[in-house]
Amino acid sequence: MRCAPSVTPHDFELDALREKYRHERDKRLRREGTAQYVHVTTDMPDFWEADPYSPPVVRDPVAADIDVAIIGGGFAGLLAGAYLKKAGVEDVRIIEMGGDFGGAWYWNRYPGIQCDNESYCYIPMLEELDYMPSRRFVDGVEIYGHCRNMGEHFGLYEGALFGTMIRSMIWEEGTRRWTIRTNQDDELRARFVIMATGPWSKPKLPGIPGLASFSGHMFHSARWDYGYTGGGPGDPVLDRLADKRVAVIGTGATAIQIVPILGQYAKHLTVFQRTPSAVDHRRNDPTDPEWAASLKPGWQRERQENFYVFSGEPFPSKAAEEDQTCDFFTEVGRNVSGRVAAAGRELSIEELVAIREEEDYATMERIRRRTDEIVKNPETAEALKPYYRYMCKRPCSSNDYLPAFNRPNVTLVDVSASKGVERVTEKGLVANGKDYEVDCIIFASGFEISAQDQKVASGIEAIDGRGGLSLYDHWSEGYRTLHGMSSHGFPGLFFTGFTQGGLSTSVTAMYEQQGEHIAYIIAETMKRGATTVEATQEAQDQWVSTIRELAPPDTFLQECTPGYYNNEGGGHGGIRAAVGEPYAPGFYKFGDLIAQWRDRNDLNGMTLIP
Ligand code: NDP
């Protein structure tokens, strides 16, 4: 399908909107920043550790020497495992707190869950597993199924430990291995450990005074209580809510998907909104078999790169009509590309920046006007309009979210003026000085993504490297890595996710890039007869300098309305941004850099440990 630039309104006052954006941002800024949230602790098992989807795992403790332990069985862990197996490394154990593989897709089984990045890009290894998603944005159940298929296909179920949480990981100089202790009293001694815990793994709760005083039912969206609501994963008939008054706190990407279904089944639904999401139409067509049959080998990687160009590059290097994804995620990039082509001459950086800004405002204005067209009550429609720049928050699409607010049993409560819900009481919530009595509170309040304290985010009590150096201390002033994947003083330990590497708008592409690279290093270390491998101090220092020297100023995020993308308003100013400290030249440039590093085949900047 050829994709043209979208039709967006340009009849707005840019300066007035800039001022409005600033006002909306300042209104929501909280002095406490990320510290406003309630961290879930081990004495709150229903919000984190207790698994509502699988029976508790009862087994004897495992004591074993192994080659590779992978912490986490979501896409990051599965991709690392897959590449290890492809590289001939057989002794791999995935340790996963859930009852199965899937990670975010295991835990998030809320009604309405769907991929909101196009499935053809997001679901990894489609060609290798000979799998074609059923539609553009598939249901969570289908993605969970794909995770399980990956586990089967690469033999990763063998040796996997489910229902198991890591308590500590300690480097032992004598054995040159990591001793991993778990909640099941396992003691694994691994030459290599890959951290694949993922940024979306630990739920967080909103910092609302009085949470513990509520006498009704409460749960987090990532631990859906189907026993209470009725229905089940993939069966969103929430018939037990017919006599229930339900509150949802949060209006991020998760809430966009659950609100329409709750609105359909609850006696009454009250949605407490601090900042609205930008919600576009969702074109969720079934996969066209003719199109699928026409795809040539290598199509997925090409599509992922194309998606990155339009969603990740500020000034896309391709012509607008080449945008293969052609949706809200790529719209601003596509429109910028169209404007650049129409100019018919080389544009200065100032001109490019001005075009980007105008197209950003125009797209968001289109979204705001769409809200007016759908939501009947003008006051509700106004409250649902996002006044911030595109990508300050996750772009969303849904055909059912905005219409849900036309239902008589659905109420939107705008809590932006008080920077959040004021209070929880025994019977419900207080917002804007008004009491809302409810039977159930559902927290769609997100995850510990930008927690400054990594111990809180990981839930692992100790990760101690050489000489007892804690990784949490080592990184207390910011990341220190080689290529974002290893750190001096932590032999054989590898990281995935948002650290100091390439940043893709599709996280699975990022995990695949990292999995391939880490598997190469491990396989190469084993081939050379060493026990393990470690980044040198010098290589690490050099990489940290490279990352920081290339980093652009982060004014864009500073000016964004608060959220996890910008450390609740701090921009990258905190020690850790939600997206780590990305390699500024871009995701595929980083991919080229590490591929060239591998091609030299000299493990430059790493020391083999006999
Ligand atoms: P978010 O962190 O995006 O949203 C949390 C919500 O809770 C926000 O609306 C926030 O408001 C609100 N909130 C927090 N504290 C308070 C308070 N005190 N009072 C009122 N409201 C409050 O979490 P989500 O789970 O929605 O999404 C997290 C990420 O997970 C997404 O960005 C996306 O990357 C991923 N995701 C992917 C999906 C997919 O592919 N299918 C689907 C869903 C999520 P405010 O914005 O003002 O901070």
Side-chain angles (χ1 to χ4, degrees):
M1 190 190 81
R2 307 279 290 175
C3 181
S6 64
V7 178
T8 50
H10 284 259
D11 55 337
F12 51 82
E13 283 288 327
L14 192 56
D15 281 339
L17 267 183
R18 279 200 195 104
E19 187 48 42
K20 170 83 173 156
Y21 282 18
R22 260 195 296 274
H23 170 75
E24 293 293 326
R25 168 187 184 274
D26 292 349
K27 188 162 97 176
R28 291 173 173 84
L29 270 180
R30 284 175 62 148
R31 236 179 322 123
E32 322 92 289
T34 56
Q36 70 181 273
Y37 287 96
V38 173
H39 303 310
V40 173
T41 49
T42 42
D43 55 354
M44 303 156 85
D46 290 346
F47 288 112
W48 185 37
E49 294 200 28
D51 182 344
Y53 313 119
S54 301
V57 170
V58 182
R59 61 168 174 79
D60 290 334
V62 177
D65 283 1
I66 60 172
D67 284 337
V68 190
I70 299 178
I71 317 298
F75 274 131
L78 287 166
L79 283 160
Y83 275 93
L84 281 166
K85 293 282 175 137
K86 278 150 67 99
V89 180
E90 281 302 323
D91 185 15
V92 176
R93 267 184 196 262
I94 295 189
I95 304 163
E96 163 58 50
M97 73 180 281
D100 199 348
F101 292 134
W105 298 101
Y106 175 86
W107 294 107
N108 287 274
R109 302 194 191 191
Y110 56 78
I113 185 166
Q114 277 184 347
C115 190
D116 60 9
N117 256 339
E118 196 196 65
S119 313
Y120 311 125
C121 291
Y122 176 78
I123 302 179
M125 294 192 150
L126 290 178
E127 291 185 69
E128 194 152 350
L129 269 76
D130 195 18
Y131 184 72
M132 182 50 72
S134 62
R135 53 200 317 127
R136 250 160 84 86
F137 303 104
V138 298
D139 291 352
V141 171
E142 189 169 331
I143 305 177
Y144 172 43
H146 187 77
C147 294
R148 303 181 67 182
N149 287 345
M150 283 179 74
E152 297 283 0
H153 185 87
F154 292 104
L156 296 168
Y157 276 98
E158 279 160 49
L161 297 175
F162 294 111
T164 304
M165 291 185 73
I166 307 298
R167 294 294 187 221
S168 66
M169 293 172 22
I170 311 289
W171 167 254
E172 310 284 353
E173 200 66 57
T175 56
R176 294 173 180 194
R177 286 171 182 267
W178 287 88
T179 299
I180 302 169
R181 295 200 170 79
T182 74
N183 64 338
Q184 301 276 359
D185 293 329
D186 305 310
E187 190 178 304
L188 298 160
R189 294 166 297 270
R191 293 162 68 181
F192 306 97
V193 181
I194 302 176
M195 302 291 294
T197 44
W200 291 274
S201 56
K202 192 169 175 198
K204 69 181 190 302
L205 298 176
I208 308 174
L211 274 185
S213 60
F214 183 57
S215 60
H217 197 62
M218 301 192 273
F219 58 90
H220 189 276
S221 54
R223 299 289 183 277
W224 196 269
D225 188 347
Y226 280 105
Y228 182 84
T229 64
D235 165 26
V237 179
L238 309 183
D239 50 2
R240 296 193 189 150
L241 294 182
D243 59 348
K244 298 286 189 293
R245 297 158 303 173
V246 177
V248 168
I249 298 186
T251 48
T254 297
I256 301 312
Q257 298 186 330
I258 62 179
V259 160
I261 296 172
L262 287 172
Q264 193 183 340
Y265 289 100
K267 180 177 172 201
H268 196 92
L269 173 68
T270 311
V271 180
F272 292 88
Q273 172 191 274
R274 194 163 63 175
T275 315
S277 280
V279 186
D280 196 11
H281 171 72
R282 192 170 185 86
R283 189 168 59 77
N284 196 4
D285 310 320
T287 300
D288 173 359
E290 257 177 61
W291 168 77
S294 74
L295 295 167
K296 306 271 178 306
W299 71 267
Q300 191 183 23
R301 159 112 193 181
E302 194 210 315
R303 197 171 180 97
Q304 286 170 331
E305 281 204 43
N306 183 281
F307 176 66
Y308 175 77
V309 167
F310 288 98
S311 61
E313 287 183 1
F315 315 113
S317 48
K318 285 185 183 293
E321 24 345 312
E322 292 174 53
D323 173 7
Q324 293 182 12
T325 308
C326 198
D327 73 3
F328 186 31
F329 255 94
T330 55
E331 179 175 352
V332 177
R334 180 182 350 125
N335 292 355
V336 169
S337 166
R339 287 274 298 274
V340 171
R345 64 180 172 86
E346 185 127 344
L347 297 168
S348 67
I349 187 69
E350 290 76 18
E351 287 173 310
L352 285 170
V353 169
I355 287 174
R356 173 94 206 176
E357 187 189 26
E358 195 186 320
E359 291 306 326
D360 176 327
Y361 275 76
T363 294
M364 293 302 278
E365 184 64 20
R366 179 180 73 71
I367 294 293
R368 289 190 285 270
R369 293 185 190 181
R370 179 176 184 271
T371 307
D372 276 331
E373 283 161 20
I374 296 172
V375 179
K376 296 200 179 104
N377 179 319
E379 207 182 310
T380 307
E382 190 52 36
L384 284 164
K385 291 179 188 168
Y387 284 98
Y388 47 80
R389 286 191 65 173
Y390 172 80
M391 272 295 174
C392 278
K393 285 186 181 282
R394 169 90 163 189
C396 299
S397 60
S398 165
N399 300 335
D400 307 318
Y401 179 71
L402 293 173
F405 294 96
N406 291 332
R407 299 181 68 100
N409 67 327
V410 177
T411 309
L412 180 75
V413 179
D414 178 354
V415 297
S416 56
S418 52
K419 302 178 200 271
V421 175
E422 267 165 51
R423 215 166 55 244
V424 178
T425 63
E426 194 194 337
K427 295 199 166 149
L429 300 127
V430 182
N432 307 323
K434 190 172 162 196
D435 281 307
Y436 294 86
E437 281 195 13
V438 295
D439 302 298
C440 174
I441 303 175
I442 300 174
F443 298 105
S445 48
F447 303 88
E448 296 279 9
I449 302 173
S450 52
Q452 298 297 296
D453 182 342
Q454 296 227 309
K455 194 165 162 177
V456 163
S458 78
I460 302 175
E461 283 148 28
I463 305 177
D464 293 350
R466 183 174 292 119
L469 174 64
S470 159
L471 183 68
Y472 303 128
D473 292 343
H474 186 56
W475 283 358
S476 64
E477 304 288 313
Y479 294 111
R480 293 196 226 175
T481 71
L482 170 60
H483 298 151
M485 288 176 256
S486 48
S487 210
H488 181 67
F490 299 84
L493 182 61
F494 295 93
F495 315 107
T496 62
F498 302 118
T499 41
Q500 289 176 322
L503 175 67
S504 172
T505 26
S506 190
V507 286
T508 49
M510 182 179 76
Y511 294 147
E512 186 158 1
Q513 190 181 68
Q514 293 166 336
E516 183 178 10
H517 190 70
I518 293 167
Y520 160 81
I521 297 173
I522 292 176
E524 222 26 62
T525 303
M526 293 173 77
K527 238 185 257 169
R528 292 170 195 217
T531 304
T532 191
V533 67
E534 178 183 5
T536 65
Q537 176 80 51
E538 192 192 3
Q540 175 185 286
D541 291 349
Q542 220 167 37
W543 185 248
V544 174
S545 307
T546 302
I547 286 287
R548 295 192 178 153
E549 277 159 21
L550 294 174
D554 82 352
T555 40
F556 176 87
L557 278 177
Q558 293 277 1
E559 288 168 6
C560 279
T561 184
Y564 81 85
Y565 276 19
N566 71 349
N567 282 326
E568 302 301 328
H572 280 187
I575 302 164
R576 258 175 282 282
V579 292
E581 292 180 83
Y583 178 68
F587 177 68
Y588 287 100
K589 294 263 170 43
F590 177 73
D592 291 344
L593 183 143
I594 54 173
Q596 283 159 12
W597 184 91
R598 290 195 298 272
D599 286 346
R600 287 195 297 272
N601 205 29
D602 57 3
L603 297 177
N604 184 29
M606 303 201 84
T607 310
L608 293 173
I609 300 177

